[in-house]
Each structure stands twice: as structure tokens, then as C-alpha cells.
Amino acid sequence: MVRDAKVNQVILIILDDIRAEHLFDLINKGKLPNIAEIAENGIKCSNCVTSYPAITFPCYGNIVTGSYSGYFPKEGNGTPMYHWVNRTDPPSKSKKPPFIRNYSDRSQVLKINKDIGKNVKTIFEQAPEGNMLSSFCFLYRGAYFTVSKIVSDVEGIFKNISNGFENPGMYFSNNEVPLISVGYIMHTDDIMHEKGFEHPDYINLIIECDKYLGSLMNTLKKTGYYDSTAIGLITDHGNFKANKVYDLEPFFQQKGFIQYNPKKGTGDFDCNFGSVGFFNFPGDTWHHHPSIRQMQDFKVSGKGKQEFNLFNTLWKIPGVKYMYYRDDKNKPEKGIIHIEYLEKSSGKKRHGMIEYRGFGRDQQTKYTFEDNDFYHYNDDEKSAKILDNKFHTLDEWLDATNHIDFPIIIDQIPRYFKNPRSCDIIISTLEEYGFNYDHGVTQSASPYIHDIGLRKCMIVPFIIGGSSEIPKIELKFCKTTDMVPTLLELLGIKPHSSVIGNSIFNYP
Ligand SMILES: [Zn+2]
């Protein structure tokens, strides 16, 4: 045991796409006895704030690294989103057009291990020594992960971890049990998109996960490791049901917008759009981000070769409530993100601004607006106090907004836009519409999505238990990037300097 260590091993289970309120409701109904056993005797929080946008990447990658998207040549996670166009800073002079990354393509998903970049470290890489086991955790840099011995059904994912304790020689030549194991269950997300969060198949799958976790806990008890092991459980984001679904294909076709083709370097735009839309447009070339002026006078290459003001055009998409884009003069260390929003009471378009400065843990942001603030921070006594025209850190935003909609979004938006791989314009319909539109194609008519800044998407469960060495604590709030530093502290290991989350033991 390392000096100051409370446990000898940690296991982290990441379930995809479960709201805190749904998980704790099932616990309270007695449906998840094993998760309850861990939560009731250890650390629990039903108000853990995830990353924005509430999409598997960035959320899941940020859990595993304890960091966020950023200006990744210098700091932060290189992966801004599930889909991105590979633009660099400065723009590449290559004749080869930038590729589109799309992690829903199974042949691309393991590239995440390279994409996150060198300036962040996975939980596995943050430990100086010891055996590391990834059970279907795609972001496995620094761990043992093989396809042949790792089974990918839900029961198998838990069993792989049990094997690490029953028969470590199966994975590790030194025959020692893994110091850190991470299991990732994406199956809950698949069913949520297909059938929805109310569907019995979705709920039963969560109950099944609890059962397999129970088997893993029994293995740990039987092999004598239970009391020296911390078990963490977290999800990457919640979800919602869009009020309406809509096929966006004709909208762009009729205007002559041609989908970007990364093989040829042709096309006018690239977009992926659940209820939040991420739009990429070419500047001088597809390697360049466009200036605001270039987006105001934008000529399409398709039918009619018409000119559009892209800002006005995107506002015509049904249900759009707000829009974000970066200022032309932005630098990685300092800049402005513009917000345009529709004021509900007057139906008028208003302008707001997020100013940012600094990097990583030291990033500070300030939010200003004309008339009413879009997020309704002003309506709540606690959050209204932070609208003081001053710059604030992530933890100050967390403290002020963890209990309302759009928690920490002012901190998160600049972290996204600082990344050279981020898009040019974000718009959101805020759950009114679901489009399921990726790269020129409407993929499905399912209304079950996740990506928006409302609590139903942004609030996830945070649980750490197992060993009796873990104190019984109920946290009022925390954030997903706190999981890794907390688990590392339990192991007596100092987190890497790129970690932005805090050990929950250091909370005031
Ligand atoms: Zn997810």
C-alpha cells in the first residue's frame, strides 16, 4: 500500500446515458441493491455536473482524463466532440483536405487514444506503476486492452474485471491484480436512442448492470479484495425526448448547400445536429476557419450558386433558440464567444458575450448580455450573484449554477471553441426539435437524444464505495472530472497537472 493510500485498487464503471434522477429513483425503489450498497456506505452525489455539450465525447473522455477540451497544442483534451473536422492552428498548408472524425464509425473510435493528445493523461497513465485493465473502455491508453480476451456484452464487461481479480495471470504476466480497472457500458446508450428512457428494456438493462456489478462485488469478497478496493460508478450524460423530429435534408438541398467531401476538399458545410447543431464552414480553404465576414457573405457551390448570410440562414432552421460563434480576434489565451438568443417575451434577437482568459484550471470567464439573460441565471438568487461583470473560475461557476439549468455552461463553451477542431457556429433548439442529422444525412427519426445544457442532460450520478475505508459522504454537488482525482487520492497518487477536476476530499 502506498503511504496515505486508503485502498489498494480502484474499479471505475462508466454507464452511458443515464440521468442521476433516473438512477437514484431506481435505487430508492430498491431495484438496484448492489449500487445502493456502494452508494449508501460511501460517497454519493445525485447532482454531479457533466461537460457541455452533453454528448458521449467530450463527456466520457473527460471522465477518463479528468480534463476538458482546450487549446490542445498547449493544454486540454484534443477531442472537442463526437464529430469534428481536423483543422489546426495555424491552418495546415497541406493539399490534402482535413478529415472528418466520426466516433460512431467503429473503425474510427479507437483513434480517440491518439486524438486526445499528449497534454492530457488517462487515469491509467496517471499511476506511476501497477497493472491497468480496460474492460471495453475505448479510451484505454496505458492499459491492457485486447479484443481477443475482452468480451463486449454487458455481462462480459463486468466478468472481464472479475477475471482480473480471480485470475490476473490471464491478462498480466506478473500475475498481480490490476491497480486500476475501468469498465465502460455503452449498451444503455444504444437502447436509450432506440427505445427511450421510459422503455422497460432500458430500465431492465440498468437493473441487469446492477446484477452483474453484484457478481463482481461477490468475486471481490470471495477473493479477499473487497475491503481494499474502491468502486466508482458514474455516467457520461443524461438524456431527453425532443418534442418534434424534423428532416433537415431538404432545408440545405433547396438552398444549394453541398456537404463537405474530405476526400476531394469540396463542399460548403459539414454539420452534426441532434438538438444542438455544430456547423463547420470553409474559410480561405477548408483548412481555415472562416471569419465572421466570410460567414456573412457566403456563396454556396450547389444549385443557383446563391450568396447567404449564414447567421440569418441558420436562424431559419425550425426551433432555434440560441447561437454561439467565436470572435475573429480570438487567441488561445484570451477571447470572446458571441451569443445570439431569442428573447421569449419580445420575440427579439439579443446579443450576449462570454469573455475568457487563461488555460486549464486557471481559465476564467465572464458573461455579459443585453436586457434579459438567456440562461435565467438572474431569476435565481445564488446564480444572479455571479453576474457581477467579473471573471470567474470553473469552481465558482459550479458553486453558483449546479442547482439550475445550464450549469457551468459559461465555463464550458470557451473550452470547446478554443480547440482548433471545434466548429464555427453552434445553434440549439433546446429540446424542441431533434434532427439526428449528420454529415448531410438524416440518420433516424428517434426523438431520444442528449446534448443540451438542461439538467436532464447535464446531471449524472457520482458514487464511490466498496472498502470500509471510504468515508460516508453525501455531496450537494460535484463534477464528472472530480472522479479521477478522487479515485487517485484514494490510491495515494497525485493526479497529473492537466487534471482540472478536484478530489472531493478537498471540497470546502
Ligand atoms: Zn454517452
Side-chain angles (χ1 to χ4, degrees):
M1 196 185 283
V2 183
R3 208 158 59 92
D4 295 334
K6 285 196 156 45
V7 298
N8 292 344
Q9 303 84 223
V10 300
I11 297 170
L12 173 60
I13 304 293
I14 305 171
L15 303 175
D16 198 315
D17 203 338
I18 305 173
R19 291 186 209 179
E21 54 173 319
H22 289 159
L23 191 92
F24 279 96
D25 185 46
L26 289 170
I27 289 177
N28 294 339
K29 285 181 178 146
K31 302 257 175 150
L32 308 175
N34 298 299
I35 297 175
E37 184 182 330
I38 294 176
E40 294 314 320
N41 299 302
I43 303 159
K44 70 169 174 179
C45 180
S46 58
N47 189 33
C48 173
V49 181
T50 194
S51 318
Y52 181 85
I55 298 175
T56 303
F57 295 110
C59 295
Y60 158 65
N62 292 352
I63 292 169
V64 178
T65 58
S67 184
Y68 294 100
S69 162
Y71 181 69
F72 71 94
K74 191 178 150 81
E75 54 91 35
N77 188 331
T79 310
M81 254 286 288
Y82 211 80
H83 305 253
W84 43 269
V85 178
N86 188 37
R87 294 193 268 198
T88 54
D89 180 44
S92 165
K93 291 194 175 76
S94 167
K95 287 220 170 69
K96 222 173 134 189
F99 63 82
I100 298 177
R101 177 69 78 233
N102 175 358
Y103 295 118
S104 59
D105 176 348
R106 291 290 155 94
S107 71
Q108 294 192 40
V109 71
L110 293 184
K111 295 190 192 297
I112 184 81
N113 289 288
K114 191 160 178 255
D115 293 341
I116 60 168
K118 293 200 179 88
N119 293 321
V120 291
K121 305 280 175 211
T122 66
I123 183 173
F124 307 115
E125 294 174 304
Q126 294 187 45
E129 55 191 359
N131 289 336
M132 307 290 158
L133 178 65
S134 156
S135 181
F136 215 62
C137 178
F138 297 130
L139 186 47
Y140 61 87
R141 225 168 57 183
Y144 180 95
F145 179 99
T146 69
V147 177
S148 59
K149 285 184 188 155
I150 294 286
V151 187
S152 64
D153 64 313
V154 178
E155 184 175 9
I157 292 169
F158 284 94
K159 186 76 179 84
N160 295 328
I161 299 174
S162 292
N163 290 341
F165 288 85
E166 268 177 329
N167 182 15
M170 184 175 166
Y171 307 125
F172 307 108
S173 56
N174 63 5
N175 207 25
E176 285 174 16
V177 300
L179 179 76
I180 298 172
S181 308
V182 181
Y184 169 56
I185 315 288
M186 61 180 292
H187 310 64
T188 32
D189 181 68
D190 292 341
I191 296 197
M192 206 303 293
H193 284 289
E194 196 189 321
K195 300 179 175 173
F197 51 79
E198 320 96 324
H199 198 281
D201 289 357
Y202 174 75
I203 294 160
N204 286 334
L205 185 57
I206 301 173
I207 292 169
E208 236 177 84
C209 288
D210 181 80
K211 194 179 85 191
Y212 300 136
L213 177 69
S215 307
L216 170 59
M217 287 158 69
N218 281 336
T219 300
L220 293 170
K221 285 171 186 168
K222 208 173 63 200
T223 50
Y225 289 109
Y226 188 77
D227 206 47
S228 59
T229 303
I231 304 171
L233 188 135
I234 195 165
T235 72
D236 56 347
H237 51 76
N239 43 54
F240 67 93
K241 185 179 184 182
N243 301 337
K244 293 167 248 184
V245 289
Y246 186 93
D247 178 11
L248 263 184
E249 285 184 34
F251 180 92
F252 290 108
Q253 275 164 8
Q254 281 156 15
K255 292 178 169 55
F257 281 76
I258 305 285
Q259 164 64 34
Y260 171 52
N261 178 335
K263 289 212 169 71
K264 295 182 188 157
T266 56
D268 306 311
F269 80 125
D270 182 66
C271 161
N272 55 91
F273 203 159
S275 187
V276 182
F278 299 83
F279 287 85
N280 291 278
F281 301 102
D284 293 345
T285 74
W286 263 102
H287 286 291
H288 296 76
H289 285 285
S291 66
I292 290 175
R293 177 34 76 80
Q294 284 173 323
M295 289 192 282
Q296 283 167 338
D297 305 316
F298 189 86
K299 200 169 173 183
V300 299
S301 58
K303 192 176 71 182
K305 306 239 178 319
Q306 289 181 73
E307 209 173 279
F308 291 93
N309 178 324
L310 294 174
F311 301 101
N312 296 344
T313 305
L314 296 189
W315 270 109
K316 295 199 175 94
I317 291 174
V320 176
K321 309 274 184 299
Y322 62 94
M323 174 181 280
Y324 300 109
Y325 53 92
R326 59 172 93 65
D327 193 74
D328 288 340
K329 294 194 223 53
N330 281 6
K331 293 194 170 64
E333 67 276 13
K334 185 174 169 259
I336 292 171
I337 309 300
H338 297 281
I339 312 173
E340 283 180 21
Y341 59 99
L342 213 52
E343 193 178 64
K344 233 183 183 173
S345 52
S346 65
K348 279 192 181 133
K349 227 178 274 170
R350 303 288 190 196
H351 184 249
M353 244 174 19
I354 302 171
E355 289 168 76
Y356 65 86
R357 64 187 189 198
F359 293 108
R361 288 182 74 89
D362 299 325
Q363 176 183 282
Q364 293 189 319
T365 48
K366 181 171 105 177
Y367 167 44
T368 50
F369 48 87
E370 50 175 16
D371 302 311
N372 298 316
D373 93 279
F374 175 75
Y375 305 111
H376 298 280
Y377 287 168
N378 251 333
D379 300 349
D380 176 90
E381 199 184 338
K382 197 164 184 199
S383 55
K385 278 193 193 142
I386 202 166
L387 302 181
D388 55 1
N389 256 319
K390 289 185 181 137
F391 280 90
H392 294 283
T393 63
L394 167 59
D395 285 325
E396 287 167 348
W397 284 110
L398 180 69
D399 185 54
T401 63
N402 69 77
H403 57 300
I404 51 176
D405 281 328
F406 305 107
I408 72 170
I409 199 164
I410 304 298
D411 170 87
Q412 294 284 293
I413 292 287
R415 292 187 193 274
Y416 169 81
F417 273 115
K418 268 184 209 177
N419 195 318
R421 293 164 172 166
S422 61
C423 74
D424 300 301
I425 302 178
I426 297 179
I427 53 177
S428 177
T429 77
L430 211 53
E431 83 179 333
E432 186 181 350
Y433 280 86
F435 299 102
N436 301 309
Y437 180 79
D438 295 333
H439 317 296
V441 179
T442 296
Q443 305 282 0
S444 87
S446 167
Y448 296 104
I449 312 176
H450 50 85
D451 54 13
I452 57 176
L454 300 182
R455 291 182 66 72
K456 56 185 95 169
C457 270
M458 291 292 292
I459 303 299
V460 300
F462 180 105
I463 294 167
I464 303 174
S467 165
S468 56
E469 291 291 316
I470 296 164
K472 209 169 153 176
I473 301 174
E474 183 166 4
L475 292 166
K476 286 204 178 73
F477 62 86
C478 65
K479 56 190 185 296
T480 51
T481 50
D482 297 337
M483 181 55 92
V484 160
T486 306
L487 292 175
L488 290 175
E489 178 159 348
L490 287 168
L491 284 171
I493 296 170
K494 198 171 171 266
H496 185 251
S497 58
S498 60
V499 169
I500 294 177
N502 301 312
S503 162
I504 65 104
F505 301 114
N506 300 332
Y507 266 59

